[in-house]
Amino acid sequence: MELYPAMDEINNALKKNHIIVIFSNCNVEYSGRAQSFIAKGDRMIIMKHDGTILVHKPDGRTPVNWMPNKSIIEIKVENDSLEITCTNSKTSEVMIIRAFNIYSITSAPLVDNEQLRLLGTEKDMSDMLYSTPSLISEDFTPVSREEQTKYGFLDVFGHNSKGELVIVECKRYTAGLDSVTQLRRYVERVKKSKGITKVQGIIAAPNISQNALKMLTDWGFSYKNISPPYRFSKEEEKQAKINEF
Amino acid sequence: MELYPAMDEINNALKKNHIIVIFSNCNVEYSGRAQSFIAKGDRMIIMKHDGTILVHKPDGRTPVNWMPNKSIIEIKVENDSLEITCTNSKTSEVMIIRAFNIYSITSAPLVDNEQLRLLGTEKDMSDMLYSTPSLISEDFTPVSREEQTKYGFLDVFGHNSKGELVIVECKRYTAGLDSVTQLRRYVERVKKSKGITKVQGIIAAPNISQNALKMLTDWGFSYKNISPPYRFSKEEEKQAKINEF
DNA sequence: GCCTAGGTCCCGTAC
DNA sequence: GTACGGGGCCTAGGC
């Protein structure tokens, strides 16, 4: 495709707030939070109505380059290439695409007012533990969940029958060293704030790494094997695999 | 576009290992590590040669649904919709797209052998501190960088003239509470492994949050204001903004 | 605006 | 494979 008609077509689609997909041979330069460059190759460029720009390689889940929404696009023909300059004033970033060949331009006025509904997050897990505390222990009474207390953001927070405070940190996947240090930080903050020495710390997760478990017990905390709702347990996953594939 | 011709066109493009972009009105169901559903709306579906599938809303940087590479795509016509089932045996995930209207299908055989070169990462920063340790202190001699020592993965590791060990944790952005707990974990591990009590802990970052700084000093660690190479300092960023926009 | 923490995080790397 | 940590992370929620 010739460069000038391509420029006109893209500008028209931008004016109409369409989503635009361009297949092209291009290089990409980026400068802002870091700096990057990728030499000429065939890529897919996506321009969205909100000013998001994505550059995808033929493989891979993650865009090789991108610009956040509210970026401004300017196009000009420069010698042998279409130069697409994307600037974002909020993040002080610039991305320049130089397209030497434009294979195709597709655009459409997409309308989508729906939102994703998602189940099985960490919040769902803390909700479950809050409403069914016996999953943690018969001797656990939750008081708050997923709340920014003055001790920090605690997943589930409560006490046992002796009146000792209990902090539960949920993880929807394997708990690692970072999970333990996070719990430890919360426990220490509560201890210091309240001027007490006894606070129970519990990690609730479907799994925990060996190192994390060692650190956890070294610090006097405990682990409770619990899976988030709507997430298959390891055993169920294996069974599902056998059945499905 | 009619459903059967659409199915044929997609299957042909899949066979040829093309990248495929479909504009359509569809709903999407996902099940695996979590579960999700989004009702009918106009979206862009991308199928890549490596088995990656992305579903994008008209707005936003992140795909609303996706499947990792090596996913398998099966298509059939089901009443009033094209049903695209994507399964991944490795992650035990399934995504089903039901497309009720197909607005367009575009495909192309993209070739891209280039790789992104990126500057200004945390590794670049630790390399800089290793080769120019005076940025940390005149009294600092680095020994290793970015290495998996037996004490864990340390960004920069060395000693001062008194022979005391020094651990530097780099962050390319604002250091937060997690950065401090991470440093603390490393320091404690080294102390324990070596059976010593004096280890210097330093966070090197262009910025640090108030809470993090407090926790840092409470623990006897220190902060050094250092920006990663190729990254503008806050002041330079502000100046650049004024000049550019 | 900053700070905090999760994410179907993704991704590379070392073990 | 698991585990650990970075990322131009992105995104949502508080303050």
Side-chain angles (χ1 to χ4, degrees):
Chain A
M1 192 182 288
E2 298 293 328
L3 296 183
Y4 279 103
M7 178 172 71
D8 292 343
E9 191 169 336
I10 297 169
N11 276 329
N12 278 337
L14 284 173
K15 239 176 260 169
K16 288 189 274 185
N17 285 326
H18 285 193
I19 188 167
I20 308 167
V21 175
I22 305 164
F23 289 148
S24 85
N25 185 267
C26 62
N27 67 33
V28 188
E29 194 182 323
Y30 159 79
S31 177
R33 287 173 286 180
Q35 291 198 351
S36 77
F37 181 74
I38 184 164
K40 266 202 267 188
D42 291 343
R43 278 144 215 158
M44 175 177 58
I45 303 162
I46 301 164
M47 299 174 180
K48 290 193 180 188
H49 154 236
D50 63 348
T52 303
I53 302 115
L54 306 170
V55 180
H56 270 273
K57 284 168 74 78
D59 285 353
R61 207 215 79 123
T62 306
V64 66
N65 279 108
W66 70 92
M67 288 286 281
N69 65 4
K70 288 167 190 155
S71 296
I72 291 165
I73 300 171
E74 281 178 11
I75 311 175
K76 62 177 173 181
V77 174
E78 188 80 22
N79 297 328
D80 56 344
S81 70
L82 199 65
E83 191 172 298
I84 303 169
T85 304
C86 314
T87 53
N88 191 293
S89 60
K90 189 177 177 183
T91 59
S92 294
E93 293 177 296
V94 183
M95 178 175 72
I96 300 170
I97 303 169
R98 283 186 197 84
F100 298 90
N101 276 300
I102 308 273
Y103 305 126
S104 75
I105 299 171
T106 318
S107 67
L110 302 186
V111 176
D112 182 2
N113 296 311
E114 298 296 329
Q115 278 197 308
L116 187 75
R117 281 179 291 153
L118 183 66
L119 299 170
T121 63
E122 195 175 298
K123 173 149 196 328
D124 295 322
M125 196 173 165
S126 67
D127 283 350
M128 177 178 75
L129 296 181
Y130 185 77
S131 57
T132 316
S134 60
L135 289 169
I136 293 292
S137 159
E138 291 299 336
D139 185 19
F140 173 55
T141 307
V143 171
S144 76
R145 72 180 185 285
E146 286 276 329
E147 270 172 32
Q148 186 71 41
T149 71
K150 57 178 171 179
Y151 319 112
F153 187 87
L154 306 176
D155 285 347
V156 186
F157 179 61
H159 59 80
N160 63 20
S161 58
K162 285 182 277 184
E164 293 165 358
L165 294 180
V166 179
I167 295 172
V168 182
E169 174 61 30
C170 301
K171 289 295 159 196
R172 66 182 303 287
Y173 46 87
T174 301
L177 294 172
D178 56 336
S179 308
V180 180
T181 52
Q182 194 181 351
L183 175 64
R184 180 182 167 194
R185 173 151 55 87
Y186 295 150
V187 168
E188 284 181 353
R189 204 183 322 185
V190 170
K191 277 184 181 172
K192 200 175 175 188
S193 296
K194 294 230 161 201
I196 53 180
T197 55
K198 266 209 162 180
V199 175
Q200 253 190 73
I202 298 170
I203 284 188
N207 226 319
I208 188 164
S209 73
Q210 284 304 309
N211 289 339
L213 185 60
K214 190 186 179 312
M215 182 180 273
L216 189 77
T217 50
D218 282 354
W219 280 94
F221 303 135
S222 57
Y223 167 66
K224 192 80 193 179
N225 184 305
I226 294 174
S227 291
Y230 308 110
R231 186 187 185 282
F232 298 125
S233 72
K234 275 224 159 172
E235 290 66 34
E236 284 170 321
E237 269 177 17
K238 271 179 201 155
Q239 195 54 46
K241 246 187 226 182
I242 293 163
N243 294 340
E244 252 183 86
F245 305 101
Chain B
M1 191 183 286
E2 297 293 329
L3 297 183
Y4 278 103
M7 177 172 73
D8 292 343
E9 191 170 337
I10 297 169
N11 276 329
N12 278 335
L14 284 173
K15 239 176 260 167
K16 287 188 276 185
N17 285 326
H18 285 194
I19 188 167
I20 309 167
V21 175
I22 305 164
F23 289 149
S24 85
N25 185 267
C26 62
N27 67 32
V28 187
E29 193 182 323
Y30 158 79
S31 178
R33 287 172 286 179
Q35 291 198 348
S36 77
F37 181 74
I38 184 164
K40 266 201 267 188
D42 291 343
R43 277 143 216 160
M44 174 176 57
I45 303 161
I46 301 164
M47 298 174 180
K48 291 194 181 188
H49 153 237
D50 63 349
T52 304
I53 303 115
L54 306 170
V55 180
H56 270 274
K57 285 168 72 80
D59 286 350
R61 206 214 78 123
T62 307
V64 66
N65 280 106
W66 70 92
M67 289 287 280
N69 65 3
K70 287 168 190 153
S71 295
I72 291 164
I73 299 171
E74 282 178 11
I75 309 176
K76 62 176 173 181
V77 174
E78 187 81 20
N79 296 327
D80 54 346
S81 70
L82 200 64
E83 191 173 299
I84 303 169
T85 303
C86 314
T87 53
N88 191 295
S89 60
K90 188 177 177 185
T91 59
S92 294
E93 294 177 296
V94 183
M95 179 175 72
I96 300 168
I97 302 169
R98 283 186 197 83
F100 299 91
N101 276 300
I102 309 273
Y103 305 126
S104 75
I105 299 171
T106 318
S107 67
L110 301 187
V111 177
D112 182 2
N113 296 314
E114 298 297 329
Q115 277 195 312
L116 187 74
R117 282 179 290 152
L118 183 65
L119 298 171
T121 63
E122 194 175 297
K123 174 145 194 331
D124 295 322
M125 195 173 165
S126 67
D127 284 350
M128 178 179 74
L129 296 180
Y130 185 78
S131 57
T132 316
S134 59
L135 289 169
I136 293 292
S137 159
E138 291 299 337
D139 185 18
F140 172 56
T141 306
V143 171
S144 77
R145 72 181 185 286
E146 285 275 330
E147 270 172 31
Q148 185 71 39
T149 72
K150 59 179 171 179
Y151 319 112
F153 186 88
L154 305 177
D155 286 346
V156 186
F157 180 60
H159 59 80
N160 63 21
S161 58
K162 283 182 278 185
E164 292 166 356
L165 295 180
V166 179
I167 296 172
V168 182
E169 173 62 30
C170 300
K171 290 295 160 194
R172 64 181 307 284
Y173 46 86
T174 301
L177 294 171
D178 55 337
S179 308
V180 181
T181 52
Q182 197 181 346
L183 175 63
R184 181 181 168 196
R185 173 151 54 86
Y186 294 150
V187 168
E188 283 182 354
R189 205 185 320 186
V190 170
K191 277 184 180 171
K192 200 174 176 187
S193 296
K194 293 231 162 200
I196 53 180
T197 56
K198 266 211 162 179
V199 174
Q200 252 190 72
I202 297 170
I203 284 189
N207 225 320
I208 188 164
S209 73
Q210 283 305 308
N211 289 339
L213 184 60
K214 192 189 177 311
M215 181 179 271
L216 190 76
T217 50
D218 282 353
W219 279 96
F221 303 136
S222 57
Y223 166 65
K224 191 80 192 178
N225 184 302
I226 293 173
S227 292
Y230 309 108
R231 186 188 185 283
F232 298 125
S233 73
K234 273 226 159 172
E235 289 67 32
E236 284 170 319
E237 267 178 19
K238 271 178 201 156
Q239 194 54 47
K241 244 187 227 181
I242 292 162
N243 294 340
E244 249 183 272
F245 304 103

